[in-house]
């Protein structure tokens, strides 16, 4: 006879199997007391990628309605714009109108991902639109990746409904026309609701990103962000980028900026980016910079870092020739980095050299290492 273990101990053991589907299935069939904890992990995430998966999931819920209480994450991939998967791009989309009713039937979903989706294929009628927006009110992590909308109001309606979201990913979001949100989804007490709990945001290129930043900043108050990842391509919208960074405030801990040369130089010329007030920063990433055009931008942005909590700076550079590294004002950069606030910082230079016989990784590394004698932190040079 096996000894009886406290249920708390059994639950903890099963929790350690969270990523072992075979073991979890075996546990779920062992006894009734093991079933709830096993289901917590087995059904935490549901991926719908085609008609067959949607049909299986629908039948499963019909047979066991109790499973809805275990589902926390729902991922939908329609493959409408999956250009690397041409065999799936023109696949069956008849299952997508079944998604809105499913979303409305999953009240405990807190993570929602929608990928490669043409929004109109959901065929949202008034009833299912209301259910969908109601469900969004519980979502804390929202990711829209390569989703094409009819109107910008569709996007802003979604953001307004997801008022509890703490993590927001908007990656290649497009719309055919600009319009304001529909009145029937707005709050009764205010013109538009905003993501007041938002702590992490990822913005990648798509339809005019200033539409998103304008919405986020519409209240005129500081955001409570801890992490900002921005992949910015629009050189005529650098003011919107600067406004987002400024509104992030002293609570921001991680900042990732991937900018093209045109955006970086335009932002520098206009004075749109100001990092000096981000006094809570722990890690900063500068990416997408091509030498020799961004030399001045690198030194000026580094000089704006005044956080006493800073632990890491990572600079990713693309250089055609190794001698392009000499174009950086290393004297000024070394003067900045010699300050005591950088004494405990790890500085990482990721140098991406073009493949030419004249380029030598070791020589490139020597250029960087010898140029910063005053820096007292940890210097790391990587090559790709």
């Amino acid at each position: 006879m096996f000894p009886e273990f406290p249920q708390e101990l059994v639950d903890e053991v099963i929790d350690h199997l969270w990523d072992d589907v075979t073991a979890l299935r075996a546990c779920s069939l062992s006894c009734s007391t093991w079933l709830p904890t096993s289901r917590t992990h087995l059904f935490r995430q549901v991926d719908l990628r085609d008609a067959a998966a949607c049909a299986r999931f629908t039948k499963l819920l019909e047979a066991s309605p109790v499973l809805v209480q275990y589902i926390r994450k729902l991922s939908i991939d329609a493959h409408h714009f999956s250009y690397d998967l041409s065999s799936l791009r023109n696949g069956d989309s008849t299952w997508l109108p079944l998604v809105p009713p499913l979303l409305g039937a999953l009240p405990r979903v807190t993570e929602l991902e929608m990928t490669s989706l043409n929004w109109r294929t959901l065929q949202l009628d008034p009833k299912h639109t209301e259910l969908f927006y109601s469900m969004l009110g519980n979502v804390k992590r929202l990711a829209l990746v390569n989703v094409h909308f009819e109107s910008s109001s569709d996007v802003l309606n979604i953001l307004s409904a997801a008022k509890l979201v703490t993590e927001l990913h908007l990656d290649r979001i497009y719309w055919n026309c600009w319009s304001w949100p529909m009145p029937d989804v707005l709050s009764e007490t205010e013109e538009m609701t905003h993501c007041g709990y938002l702590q992490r945001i990822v913005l990648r290129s798509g339809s005019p990103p200033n539409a998103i930043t304008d919405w986020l900043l519409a209240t005129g108050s500081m955001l409570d962000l801890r992490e900002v990842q921005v992949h910015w391509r629009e050189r005529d919208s650098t003011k919107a980028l600067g406004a987002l960074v400024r509104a992030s405030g002293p609570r921001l801990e991680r900042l990732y900026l991937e900018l093209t040369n045109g955006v970086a130089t335009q932002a520098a010329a206009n004075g749109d980016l100001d990092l000096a007030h981000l006094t809570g920063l722990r890690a900063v990433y500068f990416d997408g910079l091509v030498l020799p055009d961004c030399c001045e931008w690198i030194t000026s942005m580094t000089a704006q870092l005044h956080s006493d909590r800073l632990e890491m700076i990572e600079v990713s550079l693309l250089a055609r020739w190794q001698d392009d590294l000499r174009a950086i004002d290393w004297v000024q950069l070394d003067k900045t980095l010699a300050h005591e606030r950088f004494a405990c910082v790890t500085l990482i230079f990721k140098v991406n050299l073009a493949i030419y016989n004249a380029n030598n990784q070791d020589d490139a590394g020597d250029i960087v290492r010898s140029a910063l004698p005053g820096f007292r932190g940890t210097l790391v040079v990587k090559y790709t």
Side-chain angles (χ1 to χ4, degrees):
M1 176 179 291
F2 292 102
E4 292 187 7
F5 293 102
Q7 186 62 38
E8 293 83 357
L9 181 59
V10 173
D11 292 343
E12 186 171 345
V13 171
I14 296 176
D15 285 341
H16 281 283
L17 302 173
W18 65 272
D19 60 346
D20 190 334
V21 175
T22 302
L24 288 170
R25 286 174 176 170
C27 290
S28 69
L29 297 172
S30 297
C31 62
S32 60
T33 58
W34 290 23
L35 183 58
T37 307
S38 302
R39 280 179 166 177
T40 297
H41 300 292
L42 282 171
F43 297 102
R44 182 190 179 278
Q45 178 175 342
V46 174
D47 298 323
L48 301 181
R49 302 183 182 278
D50 52 36
C54 187
R56 287 194 301 269
F57 181 55
T58 302
K59 290 181 180 179
L60 182 63
L61 292 185
E62 291 174 351
S64 302
V66 69
L67 295 180
V68 299
Q69 67 178 304
Y70 298 104
I71 301 170
R72 297 292 186 272
K73 180 178 179 180
L74 183 63
S75 178
I76 300 164
D77 190 345
H79 304 291
H80 287 159
F81 308 102
S82 301
Y83 298 112
D84 56 335
L85 298 171
S86 58
S87 60
L88 298 173
R89 195 185 318 156
N90 299 316
D92 180 18
S93 296
T94 58
W95 61 279
L96 288 167
L98 302 176
V99 169
L102 283 175
L103 289 173
L106 302 175
R108 305 195 71 179
V109 166
T110 58
E111 297 184 52
L112 176 62
E113 295 182 355
M114 308 184 83
T115 305
S116 296
L117 173 66
N118 186 339
W119 192 253
R120 63 183 177 184
T121 60
L122 294 177
Q123 299 180 22
L124 283 165
D125 57 29
K127 176 183 177 181
H128 292 138
T129 298
E130 183 178 355
L131 286 172
F132 175 59
Y133 286 135
S134 176
M135 186 277 297
L136 283 177
N138 299 321
V139 170
K140 295 185 177 180
R141 181 182 181 274
L142 176 62
L144 301 176
V145 180
N146 202 11
V147 181
H148 294 215
F149 295 87
E150 287 296 303
S151 169
S152 60
S153 64
D154 296 326
V155 182
L156 299 184
N157 285 339
I158 289 173
L159 297 180
S160 295
K163 53 185 177 294
L164 297 182
V165 70
T166 60
E167 186 172 338
L168 178 64
H169 292 244
L170 298 177
D171 184 351
R172 291 162 290 157
I173 303 302
Y174 303 96
W175 53 77
N176 295 330
C177 63
W178 166 261
S179 65
W180 287 104
M182 297 299 290
D184 57 349
V185 300
L186 297 181
S187 167
E188 296 180 357
T189 58
E190 56 185 343
E191 183 178 350
M192 289 183 65
T193 55
H194 289 79
C195 301
Y197 297 91
L198 189 61
Q199 295 187 7
R200 183 171 186 262
I201 185 170
V202 179
L203 285 178
R204 294 182 184 269
S205 295
S207 290
N210 56 302
I212 305 300
T213 55
D214 288 349
W215 178 85
L216 287 169
L217 304 174
T219 61
S221 59
M222 296 292 287
L223 299 174
D224 195 28
L225 293 169
R226 300 295 190 276
E227 180 175 348
V228 171
Q229 290 191 33
V230 178
H231 308 254
W232 208 269
R233 297 291 181 269
E234 293 71 25
R235 66 181 67 189
D236 57 345
S237 299
T238 55
K239 289 185 178 179
L241 171 61
L244 175 62
V245 173
R246 285 193 300 274
S248 301
R251 306 187 98 181
L252 189 68
E253 297 181 350
R254 300 174 68 86
L255 176 63
Y256 180 99
L257 293 175
E258 182 187 341
L259 311 178
T260 63
N261 275 16
V263 172
T265 53
Q266 187 67 34
N270 296 342
D272 292 329
L273 276 177
D274 181 11
L275 310 184
H277 69 292
L278 302 179
T279 54
L281 281 177
R282 294 181 179 273
V284 182
Y285 305 83
F286 299 135
D287 200 355
L289 305 175
V290 181
L291 296 179
D293 298 339
C294 289
C295 295
E296 183 179 348
W297 191 88
I298 296 169
T299 54
S300 64
M301 288 297 102
T302 305
Q304 291 183 20
L305 299 174
H306 289 94
S307 172
D308 292 331
R309 305 172 66 188
L310 196 61
E311 300 171 356
M312 185 180 71
I313 303 173
E314 181 175 295
V315 182
S316 182
L317 302 170
L318 176 62
R320 185 179 182 184
W321 306 104
Q322 66 185 41
D323 282 345
D324 288 340
L325 290 167
R326 302 184 188 279
I328 297 175
D329 189 347
W330 292 107
V331 174
Q332 181 59 42
L333 186 59
D334 184 56
K335 182 179 179 181
T336 297
L337 292 172
H339 194 278
E340 61 181 8
R341 67 177 180 273
F342 296 104
C344 297
V345 170
T346 297
L347 175 61
I348 302 174
F349 273 92
K350 297 177 68 174
V351 182
N352 304 283
L353 286 175
I355 302 176
Y356 293 116
N357 291 333
N359 287 332
N360 183 282
Q361 292 184 351
D362 293 335
D363 291 343
D366 290 340
I367 293 174
V368 178
R369 282 185 285 267
S370 63
L372 299 172
F375 176 57
R376 289 173 290 170
T378 302
L379 178 62
V380 178
V381 183
K382 298 181 179 180
Y383 318 96
T384 57

